[in-house]
Amino acid sequence: PGFVHQQFGFHEMIIGYKNPTVDILLSPVTLHWMYSISSEGRDAAKEGAHDLEAIVAANAPAPSCRDAESFQKIEGADRGAVLPGEEIAREKVDGRTLCTVVLDCSDERNAALLANIQKLMLWFIDAASEIDTSDARWSVVALFDAGESGNSYEALLGASTLYRWPFFRAGLDAGAVRQRVAQFIVFPPYQRKGHGKRLLDAIHAWAARDPQCVEINAEDPSPDFSRLRDCCDMARARAAGLLDRIRNADAKDDRVEIGRTLRTTPRQI
């Protein structure tokens, strides 16, 4: 995992165990866990000692498996799943179909996946937090590998949470809104394959279809996400023929106008 301070404290160390190991297997679509914990010894009396079993259980999806037989049943049911939502992008890559879907947060069939995505984000995104999926202002967008046929999902490649909120600025209609990317992840086995750009481009195109949405931005972006966003914004600016205007955009009004065209914050220009 990239970050474990929420689970093990500021120094991100497991205290009170000798050579601890936590092995985790994930089902490919709904991200159910099977995990095992082992160590060469435990000193529960040590100052600040952790209860590793309790910490992992509290930060794992519920229910999680501890035996292979139960996990194999879940994994088998995972393959071939199709989950409720609006498909917003579909692309054929190396003979496989990749689908980007805005998941239906109100549908109980998605409840386990939504919870599991958020639990996994806590281990990979600095200061990540779980969202209230009952709040209609939140959206969860997921990128799936739908295999060669494209008829059913075989793996979840990445996901993002977004929040739609009012945007007040002079000159904008009263109903103007922003879509803010709160958390964004491509899971480690699928990184460095262009999926981050694929997911972010699909999110931007989907949000831009809303006539009330005047800006798509990000909440406290990490350096890696900032670089990804720069690449995506540059590609959109090039496609819109705006590169020369951006190079010469010295005045704030120029940046605001270009930002409106690209639906990005003027600071990004």
Side-chain angles (χ1 to χ4, degrees), residues 11 16 32 53 59 75-76 106 115 135 137 155 159 185 205 210 221 251 258:
H11 295 291
H32 281 87
E53 287 277 356
N59 289 278
E75 187 178 26
S106 66
D135 185 339
R137 291 170 293 186
I185 186 170
D210 178 359
I258 295 169

Side-chain angles (χ1 to χ4, degrees), residues 118 121 125 127-131 159-162 181-185:
Q118 295 180 79
M121 283 179 168
I125 299 176
S129 60
E130 297 185 47
I131 67 171
S160 178
T161 58
L162 299 97
V181 175
Q183 294 160 141
F184 186 99
I185 186 170

Side-chain angles (χ1 to χ4, degrees), residues 5-17:
H5 58 275
Q6 298 201 68
Q7 296 80 10
F8 298 107
F10 178 78
H11 295 291
E12 300 187 313
M13 295 177 60
I14 300 173
I15 301 173
Y17 293 81

Side-chain angles (χ1 to χ4, degrees), residues 3 10 38 43 68 73 80 91 93-94 110 123 128 130 133 147-149 156 167 177 226-227 237 258 260 264:
F3 300 94
F10 178 78
S38 62
D43 181 4
K73 290 180 180 178
E91 182 181 358
V93 179
D94 296 330
N110 282 335
W123 296 85
E130 297 185 47
T133 54
E148 295 181 1
S149 69
L156 175 63
F167 187 13
V177 298
S226 294
R227 284 189 288 272
I258 295 169
R260 287 181 182 176
T264 191

Side-chain angles (χ1 to χ4, degrees), residues 218-250:
E219 177 185 356
D220 194 17
S222 68
D224 285 342
F225 183 86
S226 294
R227 284 189 288 272
L228 171 64
R229 182 175 63 169
D230 287 347
C231 290
C232 292
D233 284 351
M234 181 63 73
R236 278 191 292 274
R238 182 181 292 113
L242 292 173
L243 289 185
D244 287 339
R245 285 187 61 191
I246 290 173
R247 291 188 187 100
N248 299 315
D250 296 326

